[in-house]
Amino acid sequence: AQSVTQPDIHITVSEGASLELRCNYSYGATPYLFWYVQSPGQGLQLLLKYFSGDTLVQGIKGFEAEFKRSQSSFNLRKPSVHWSDAAEYFCAVGAIQGAQKLVFGQGTRLTINP
Amino acid sequence: DAGVIQSPRHEVTEMGQEVTLRCKPISGHNSLFWYRQTMMRGLELLIYFNNNVPIDDSGMPEDRFSAKMPNASFSTLKIQPSEPRDSAVYFCASLPSGSNQPQHFGDGTRLSIL
């Protein structure tokens, strides 16, 4: 069965600083991997996805993530955060036969200091 | 194009009452998912449909919960009778056909059972 671990429940960074959110997954085959962002009172918005090919994927809002099979990781990065990036971030893994039955991590809450 | 539409956005009711949550998926999407989000358990998949047919309801917590999809543009999640522990945010998501696609989420229904 799939599982996802986001080790950091809460991260605080200063505006303009770089960001890395960690995600480790467990799955027996090549996974589909996703990062979603959730602002308060809102649904989940897709930031980026990995299905195959280039292991460094670019997403919206200046985010990127790198798939590292050897480390079973899919960490999210941004070189310079903005106050509007404050939100909850979820990593998810899906089965290879389509993006169905997603399993989500517990989420990382990001706080931005001015 | 309109996204996934959920109603109501907020629902407050007394325990023992029947609660019905509604979802309109994105037109042309053939898979629909119901999730529940709580602080303790995070995001959990309750049930999903392909082409209006329930495929996996193993996440439905108990018989008080039921879901239907009478046609391609409408689904309901019903709780009868409701209990305070059902308080959560319920999300609906839809997915187009084809394996290389992400799920699209609605803004959720925040349910409070008093």
Side-chain angles (χ1 to χ4, degrees):
Chain A
Q2 306 125 273
S3 68
V4 177
T5 302
Q6 292 180 247
D8 305 306
I9 296 174
H10 187 199
I11 283 183
T12 300
V13 299
S14 298
E15 189 167 17
S18 63
L19 172 71
E20 183 169 31
L21 302 183
R22 296 183 290 165
C23 173
N24 293 98
Y25 68 91
S26 174
Y27 185 60
T30 301
Y32 285 1
L33 295 162
F34 307 83
W35 275 99
Y36 284 86
V37 61
Q38 184 181 29
S39 298
Q42 303 294 312
L44 279 73
Q45 180 184 22
L46 180 73
L47 283 177
L48 47 78
K49 62 185 185 293
Y50 171 79
F51 290 130
S52 64
D54 193 347
T55 56
L56 183 63
V57 294
Q58 302 296 321
I60 62 172
K61 303 184 181 186
F63 286 92
E64 66 178 26
E66 186 171 11
F67 170 56
K68 292 186 177 180
R69 184 188 301 274
S70 61
Q71 299 177 18
S72 298
S73 69
F74 189 57
N75 295 347
L76 182 72
R77 300 193 295 251
K78 185 169 184 177
S80 176
V81 297
H82 186 261
W83 63 267
S84 61
D85 293 325
E88 186 118 19
Y89 291 80
F90 293 92
C91 181
V93 59
I96 196 68
Q97 276 77 32
Q100 308 224 13
K101 293 204 72 172
L102 289 182
V103 172
F104 286 87
Q106 283 294 98
T108 298
R109 183 186 306 168
L110 176 64
T111 299
I112 308 293
N113 282 337
Chain B
D1 195 10
V4 176
I5 299 173
Q6 293 186 243
S7 64
R9 288 297 312 276
H10 303 275
E11 175 88 13
V12 181
T13 192
E14 293 184 347
M15 66 177 291
Q17 299 297 308
E18 178 179 289
V19 173
T20 299
L21 311 182
R22 297 172 176 80
C23 176
K24 177 178 169 57
I26 293 173
S27 178
H29 286 197
N30 66 340
S31 296
L32 183 142
F33 305 79
W34 282 101
Y35 292 88
R36 180 172 65 177
Q37 184 179 38
T38 60
M39 288 293 293
M40 292 300 295
R41 300 174 68 89
L43 269 160
E44 303 173 280
L45 177 65
L46 300 178
I47 185 172
Y48 78 92
F49 297 82
N50 271 356
N51 296 317
N52 312 338
V53 176
I55 301 301
D56 185 345
D57 65 354
S58 59
M60 296 285 263
E62 47 196 276
D63 291 345
R64 297 184 297 106
F65 285 69
S66 62
K68 294 182 179 179
M69 193 164 185
N71 57 63
S73 59
F74 184 65
S75 177
T76 59
L77 178 67
K78 188 172 294 187
I79 309 173
Q80 168 62 19
S82 58
E83 297 183 2
R85 59 193 169 117
D86 302 330
S87 299
V89 181
Y90 291 82
F91 288 102
C92 176
S94 68
L95 177 70
S97 60
S99 59
N100 291 358
Q101 298 290 338
Q103 295 182 21
H104 298 253
F105 283 77
D107 284 340
T109 295
R110 182 173 296 276
L111 177 64
S112 297
I113 308 297
L114 306 178

